[in-house]
Amino acid sequence: MQNIPEIERLIKLISKLPGLGPKSAKRIVLKLINNREELIKPMAKTLAEVYKNIFRCKICGSLKSNLNGCNNCENNKNKFNKICVVENIADQWSIETSSVYQGYFHILGGTISSSNNQKKEDLLINSLVERVKKDNIEEVILATSATVEGQTTAFYIQDSLKNTNVKISKLAQGVPVGGETKIFKKRDKKTSNFNIKD
Ligand SMILES: [Zn+2]
């Protein structure tokens, strides 16, 4: 698009989004430019607001707005006695979409891995133990992935919770590798027995 630096930068940024390559990024940019008032203006404003106000909750790892409390762990309308532990927010969304589970979520933000620098302290495991004690949680459901890292993490969490009397269960299959919404919606072979063990 005529080597305009602003446009080039925008195309580069948009092509970093999941599922988008340079071609679709160009189409999106063209659409934006043709809709300055309807798209660019509100989008710029919304992005700035999201950047300023949206963070991960330091207690449960979910997303929250600084303007309100955390919908996930400070939800006083519904009290639950279960927490489902997942690796990331996409996993939480998948499980919510599949409607097989009703309860709190706890988002670790990754797994314990020997190959990267993810530290145990970053995974909000201590805050999980605190939540279990504070909210009188009766059951923790581990939904980490079936990978070595996912299972190592599950084992570490189990060990961290051993001094509480909480019941620990696992999702029958765990969240499949790269598990995202589509996997649960499709209920293909891999996930056909996706359910929560009692
Ligand atoms: Zn929270």
Side-chain angles (χ1 to χ4, degrees):
M1 286 189 205
Q2 302 159 13
N3 295 326
I4 301 171
E6 289 90 338
I7 302 285
E8 294 295 327
R9 278 202 296 275
L10 188 56
I11 293 174
K12 257 193 200 154
L13 282 171
I14 290 179
S15 59
K16 287 182 182 172
L17 299 175
L20 296 176
K23 243 189 194 169
S24 4
K26 275 182 191 166
R27 277 213 307 276
I28 290 171
V29 168
L30 204 56
K31 176 85 181 172
L32 288 171
I33 288 168
N34 289 332
N35 294 276
R36 295 171 60 90
E37 293 304 314
E38 302 81 4
L39 287 175
I40 296 188
K41 203 174 171 188
M43 202 177 273
K45 186 171 174 272
T46 308
L47 280 175
E49 284 166 357
V50 168
Y51 178 74
K52 194 170 148 223
N53 297 326
I54 306 298
F55 294 94
R56 276 188 77 202
C57 172
K58 289 195 177 81
I59 297 167
C60 71
S62 191
L63 291 178
K64 72 167 202 174
S65 165
N66 270 356
L67 306 175
N68 312 306
C70 175
N71 286 335
N72 192 42
C73 67
E74 293 167 32
N75 179 348
N76 292 321
K77 265 185 275 160
N78 300 313
K79 282 275 171 206
F80 301 110
N81 57 5
K82 288 179 187 177
I83 293 183
C84 181
V85 180
V86 292
E87 288 173 16
N88 52 52
I89 289 165
D91 295 336
Q92 173 182 349
W93 290 350
S94 310
I95 294 175
E96 277 174 342
T97 310
S98 71
S99 326
V100 292
Y101 168 75
Q102 278 258 311
Y104 295 118
F105 279 94
H106 193 87
I107 297 106
L108 298 168
T111 48
I112 295 168
S113 160
S114 49
S115 56
N116 65 26
N117 295 325
Q118 184 93 52
K119 289 193 201 117
K120 284 174 189 162
E121 303 84 73
D122 296 338
L123 290 179
L124 298 182
I125 293 173
N126 291 342
S127 79
L128 173 67
V129 178
E130 289 306 309
R131 283 183 80 190
V132 167
K133 291 180 188 162
K134 192 175 131 276
D135 296 333
N136 297 319
I137 297 299
E138 289 167 18
E139 184 176 6
V140 170
I141 297 152
L142 300 174
T144 52
S145 59
T147 59
V148 174
E149 288 87 359
Q151 294 312 300
T152 307
T153 309
F155 184 77
Y156 182 78
I157 294 171
Q158 232 165 325
D159 194 54
S160 307
L161 288 167
K162 68 173 182 252
N163 293 329
T164 66
N165 284 327
V166 74
K167 176 183 166 190
I168 297 173
S169 45
K170 285 188 184 178
L171 282 184
Q173 287 270 307
V175 175
V177 184
E180 299 217 4
T181 30
K182 60 181 189 296
I183 296 171
F184 288 96
K185 276 186 191 151
K186 266 202 215 152
R187 291 199 166 246
D188 56 15
K189 262 188 212 156
K190 273 187 204 155
T191 56
S192 56
N193 50 355
F194 171 73
N195 55 26
I196 291 169
K197 271 184 192 163
D198 275 315

